[in-house]
Each structure stands twice: as C-alpha cells, then as structure tokens.
Amino acid sequence: ATYTVVNQETCIACGACGASAPEIFDYNDEGIAFAILDDNLGITEVPHELEEDLKDALDGCPTDSIKVSSEPFTCKSVQAG
Ligand code: F3S
C-alpha cells in the first residue's frame, strides 16, 4: 500500500505535482499543494493505477515536499518527515 501527503511547510507552490499527478494533488488558494484523496491527511491508500503518477510527482518536486510511505501518515510522521 502507498500513502502520500504534502508537507505544506516546505511546498513553494511550484505546481509540478498537480501536473504530474492531477488525480492525486491539487492546490489551495495560495497555490500550496495538498493530497486530494483525503484532504492531505495521508491516511487513504493511493489507488494502484495512480502510483506511477505519484512517483513522477515525487521525483519532480523541487523541495521534496511530497511525502510517500507504505504506512498511513500521522501528524507526527509528517512533521518528522
Ligand atoms: Fe509544492 Fe512540490 Fe507540488 S513545491 S506544488 S509539493 S511539486
């Protein structure tokens, strides 16, 4: 299983993630990205067919703000990540 969340503290609103994975990432009013799947909680499994898009987004983010894990994220793990 794969889970993803955006670290909005480090996201610079570059917009690459939504271009790579429009079904996973969208942007708030400030252009800061969030995971659509569960409003950036990182607790909803990324559908298997979207994992390739997710990998592209992960590789493309200039600030390493996209976090990916095989386990659901908690508030703690996002901060540590
Ligand atoms: Fe932000 Fe990285 Fe996406 S900087 S807009 S999370 S590609």
Side-chain angles (χ1 to χ4, degrees):
T2 304
Y3 300 86
T4 187
V5 70
V6 175
N7 182 346
Q8 298 186 317
E9 300 295 316
T10 58
C11 172
I12 56 168
C14 94
C17 53
S20 296
E23 291 168 90
I24 305 176
F25 300 107
D26 200 357
Y27 313 105
N28 69 17
D29 290 346
E30 276 90 52
I32 302 297
F34 66 93
I36 302 166
L37 302 168
D38 55 11
D39 209 14
N40 212 44
L41 293 174
I43 57 174
T44 300
E45 213 176 303
V46 176
H48 185 67
E49 64 270 22
L50 297 181
E51 284 184 6
E52 201 61 30
D53 284 357
L54 175 60
K55 191 180 174 302
D56 289 345
L58 182 67
D59 292 344
C61 178
T63 58
D64 287 334
S65 298
I66 295 171
K67 303 302 174 189
V68 174
S69 174
S70 57
E71 290 174 15
F73 285 89
T74 64
C75 294
K76 226 177 230 167
S77 64
V78 172
Q79 281 164 8

